[in-house]
Amino acid sequence: MTVLVFSPNWLGDAVMALPAVADIRRHEATGRLIVAARPGVAGLWQIAPGVDEVVVVPRARGAARWRMLGENAETLRRAGADAAILLPNSLQTALTARRAAIRERWGFRRGLRGWLLTRAIARPRGLVHQTDYYRHLVAALGIANGSRVPALTVPAALVEGARGMLAAAGWTPGTRLLGIAPGAAYGGAKRWPPARFAAVAAQLAGAHGLQPVLVGSEADRAATCAIEAELGKIDRADSRPRAITLAGRTDIPHLAGVLALCVAFVSNDSGAMHLAAAVGTPVVALFGPTDERVTAPVAARARVLTAGAWCRPCLLRECPLDHRCMNGIDAGTVAAAAGELL
């Protein structure tokens, strides 16, 4: 069979779907494996093992929503898939698969989309980690589950490209790198203060000789600039590490190459956090308003840090109180956790 998998729409969710897609790849009935993905996550599947083709399907929204949905459906129709497995729960995904005339359409039954599916699977009850949520779907379809750990081997060419990018930005090859991702697409409530990221960078530079490399999207530039400004306030020049800033300069494959070169990674709950864990980089993950029981990185070399705030996890985008869930995590604890992973 030619199997088409609809990818989750956020980078972190897409990384957490890697084990389920690996299960589909191993299944004896799967011949050709195609992944349909939004432009923002297509790069992940271009380097994911076992994926034969990636079809980019732009998001359909606004006045052009139905026209774009029809164009996406026509693109997928030409892919010639025998079956589609819908990892997102959206009605739009099910409509696209139906209009693409894919004979078998399998996914979770949710809302009004059940009639659009040829196999509608009941969603698991209770609190389920997102990785296991996707694995539950493929298991219910009769596909055996393998490892639940997302794993991504970065091609050597991308790692070499990352070396060149870092060197051009001022990195001396041989200097160990500390990756820092201060952004979070979900909202400001997920973001740890820039001054504390800077304090961690300074402590790990002094104790372990690490040079910080700041990563993220173009939208995270303000956060990375704030960290650089905080590093500039450090009194002692020998304790003031020079940061390399790559925010807005990497797509997902090249970001994976950079993360593969880091010896440790400190991040809010974000897509970059999951990507770093998947490529095997030790991760210290800072969780505030979101629930680590559902979206913590699945990796042996990952540490999740939280504060004992009564109000978490609230899942709010912006904090209406004093942001105690993030402010309660101190820089010394984060630096110590990263040091232990080293």
Side-chain angles (χ1 to χ4, degrees):
M1 296 175 64
T2 295
V3 179
L4 173 71
V5 176
F6 281 82
S7 166
N9 299 324
W10 295 94
L11 176 57
D13 290 348
V15 172
M16 289 186 282
L18 285 171
V21 174
D23 293 340
I24 297 167
R25 171 73 279 172
R26 284 192 305 272
H27 189 59
E28 60 184 9
T30 301
R32 184 169 175 79
L33 178 61
I34 304 171
V35 174
R38 296 271 177 85
V41 298
L44 172 72
W45 299 108
Q46 289 164 358
I47 60 173
V51 175
D52 297 304
E53 182 182 354
V54 179
V55 178
V56 179
V57 285
R59 182 178 181 182
R61 64 167 79 187
R65 182 172 185 174
W66 293 109
R67 177 181 60 80
M68 182 60 69
L69 190 151
E71 291 177 1
N72 288 342
E74 183 56 34
T75 298
L76 295 178
R77 184 196 301 267
R78 291 195 295 268
D82 300 299
I85 299 178
L86 286 57
L87 298 183
N89 290 321
S90 68
L91 175 63
Q92 185 176 122
T93 305
L95 282 169
T96 302
R98 172 69 180 267
R99 289 192 61 177
I102 300 173
R103 185 176 67 252
E104 297 294 330
R105 302 176 300 278
W106 307 333
F108 282 124
R109 182 187 299 109
R110 182 174 182 181
L112 301 175
R113 77 175 199 163
W115 67 276
L116 294 166
L117 304 175
T118 57
R119 292 184 67 181
I121 305 300
R123 298 166 68 200
R125 296 182 178 181
L127 198 68
V128 178
H129 193 281
Q130 195 68 24
T131 295
D132 298 319
Y133 184 79
Y134 298 132
R135 294 171 73 244
H136 177 91
L137 172 61
V138 300
L141 295 171
I143 299 171
N145 285 148
S147 170
R148 68 184 296 268
V149 178
L152 192 65
T153 300
V154 184
L158 286 174
V159 176
E160 287 306 307
R163 290 183 189 277
M165 180 183 296
L166 288 162
W171 174 58
T172 301
T175 303
R176 297 197 299 171
L177 293 169
L178 168 69
I180 294 178
Y186 182 79
K190 291 174 69 172
R191 296 175 186 154
W192 204 42
R196 300 199 185 181
F197 277 116
V200 170
Q203 290 182 45
L204 292 175
H208 300 282
L210 307 189
Q211 182 175 13
V213 53
L214 312 179
V215 301
S217 66
E218 185 66 35
D220 300 322
R221 276 186 176 271
T224 58
C225 287
I227 293 174
E228 288 184 292
E230 292 293 337
L231 288 172
K233 296 176 184 178
I234 296 174
D235 292 333
R236 290 178 51 190
D238 59 350
S239 300
R240 189 187 306 135
R242 181 184 178 278
I244 296 172
T245 302
L246 297 180
R249 296 177 56 190
T250 55
D251 56 15
I252 291 175
H254 288 94
L255 174 59
V258 171
L259 298 179
L261 292 171
C262 295
V263 297
F265 191 74
V266 179
S267 175
N268 303 316
D269 175 15
S270 66
M273 171 196 74
H274 287 287
L275 186 61
V279 303
T281 303
V283 171
V284 178
L286 314 177
F287 274 72
T290 49
D291 194 339
E292 68 278 8
R293 296 171 297 177
V294 178
T295 58
V298 181
R301 301 180 70 193
R303 300 290 183 272
V304 173
L305 300 181
T306 62
W310 63 267
C311 48
R312 72 166 304 273
C314 66
L315 305 182
L316 296 177
R317 291 181 179 270
E318 302 296 336
C319 179
L321 301 174
D322 55 6
H323 211 196
R324 65 189 65 185
C325 64
M326 295 301 277
N327 289 331
I329 304 173
D330 65 272
T333 301
V334 175
E340 291 171 5
L341 290 171
L342 290 172

